[in-house]
C-alpha cells in the first residue's frame, strides 16, 4: 500500500464529501503543508506542479469579527456559541461586552464560517433574543490565528 522510500505513487484519499487524487513525490508526504492538509482531511490541487501544490481548502480560509445585539447576556449565548463553533470545526473566541452585546472572532473554511454567521444572526442560544448581528473585517487568511474556539473575558 505505501511506496518504498524515494518511490512515486499516485494515491487516493477519501474525504466524506469528495474523492481526490494527487501524487506523493517526496518519500511519503510532500512537505509540511501537505501533511497539514492530510491531517485536516483536505485535498491538494492536482493542477499544480508537485513542488507548488497547496491545499485548495487552505486558500479558502476566512476570518470575520462579529457583534450580536439583543438579549444575549445571561442566557448562555457564549456557551452555545462555543459549542456550535466547535461542532463546525471553527476557531476563534467570544466574550461579553460592557455595552450588553456579545462580540468575537470566528475563523475557518468559508462555507463553515457562513453557517456560523447564519447561526449567530438567526439562532443563538434557546433563551436569547437576537435583535441584530453585525459582521465586519471579513477577510481571506492563509492560516488560522487560533487553535480552538473559546470563551474569553
Amino acid at each position: 500500500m505505501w511506496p518504498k522510500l524515494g518511490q512515486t505513487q499516485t494515491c487516493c484519499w477519501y474525504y466524506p464529501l469528495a474523492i481526490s487524487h494527487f501524487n506523493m513525490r517526496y518519500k511519503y508526504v510532500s512537505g509540511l503543508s501537505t501533511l497539514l492538509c492530510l491531517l485536516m482531511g483536505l485535498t491538494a490541487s492536482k493542477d499544480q506542479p508537485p513542488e507548488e501544490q497547496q491545499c485548495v481548502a487552505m486558500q479558502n480560509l476566512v476570518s470575520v469579527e462579529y457583534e450580536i445585539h439583543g438579549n444575549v447576556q445571561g442566557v448562555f449565548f457564549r456557551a452555545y456559541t462555543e459549542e456550535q463553533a466547535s461542532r463546525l470545526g471553527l476557531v476563534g473566541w467570544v466574550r461579553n461586552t460592557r455595552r450588553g452585546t456579545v462580540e468575537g472572532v470566528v475563523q475557518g473554511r468559508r462555507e463553515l464560517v457562513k453557517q456560523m454567521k447564519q447561526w449567530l444572526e438567526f439562532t443563538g442560544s434557546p433563551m436569547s433574543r437576537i435583535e441584530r448581528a453585525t459582521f465586519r473585517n471579513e477577510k481571506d487568511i492563509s492560516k488560522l490565528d487560533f487553535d480552538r474556539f473559546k470563551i474569553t473575558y
Side-chain angles (χ1 to χ4, degrees):
M1 176 175 170
W2 292 102
K4 293 180 183 174
L5 284 178
Q7 241 182 352
T8 300
Q9 179 174 337
T10 302
C11 300
C12 296
W13 293 93
Y14 295 91
Y15 185 63
L17 301 176
I19 299 173
S20 67
H21 303 278
F22 64 96
N23 290 325
M24 293 181 63
R25 300 243 187 240
Y26 307 105
K27 297 181 184 174
Y28 295 112
V29 178
S30 175
L32 181 59
S33 63
T34 302
L35 177 59
L36 291 173
C37 294
L38 293 173
L39 291 173
M40 293 174 63
L42 307 175
T43 61
S45 173
K46 62 183 178 185
D47 297 330
Q48 296 175 323
E51 60 275 0
E52 295 177 16
Q53 284 185 353
Q54 294 177 345
C55 295
V56 173
M58 292 293 275
Q59 297 172 352
N60 205 19
L61 294 176
V62 295
S63 177
V64 65
E65 298 172 10
Y66 60 88
E67 185 168 14
I68 312 302
H69 302 260
N71 183 23
V72 291
Q73 290 191 6
V75 291
F76 302 99
F77 193 91
R78 291 174 300 152
Y80 276 85
T81 300
E82 180 182 39
E83 180 182 319
Q84 178 67 11
S86 297
R87 184 180 297 127
L88 291 172
L90 300 172
V91 298
W93 55 269
V94 61
R95 69 178 171 206
N96 285 339
T97 69
R98 292 182 179 177
R99 299 178 301 278
T101 64
V102 170
E103 68 179 3
V105 173
V106 65
Q107 296 180 341
R109 292 177 51 201
R110 184 176 309 280
E111 59 274 5
L112 298 175
V113 169
K114 182 178 178 182
Q115 287 179 35
M116 187 65 185
K117 286 170 63 175
Q118 291 288 314
W119 185 90
L120 287 166
E121 188 169 8
F122 300 110
T123 306
S125 68
M127 294 173 44
S128 66
R129 258 190 1 261
I130 301 165
E131 293 174 5
R132 178 170 49 105
T134 57
F135 301 97
R136 61 186 178 278
N137 296 329
E138 185 163 346
K139 59 187 175 187
D140 294 332
I141 56 174
S142 60
K143 67 179 186 70
L144 301 173
D145 296 325
F146 309 97
D147 60 351
R148 64 185 177 95
F149 196 94
K150 62 183 179 180
I151 298 172
T152 62
Y153 300 93

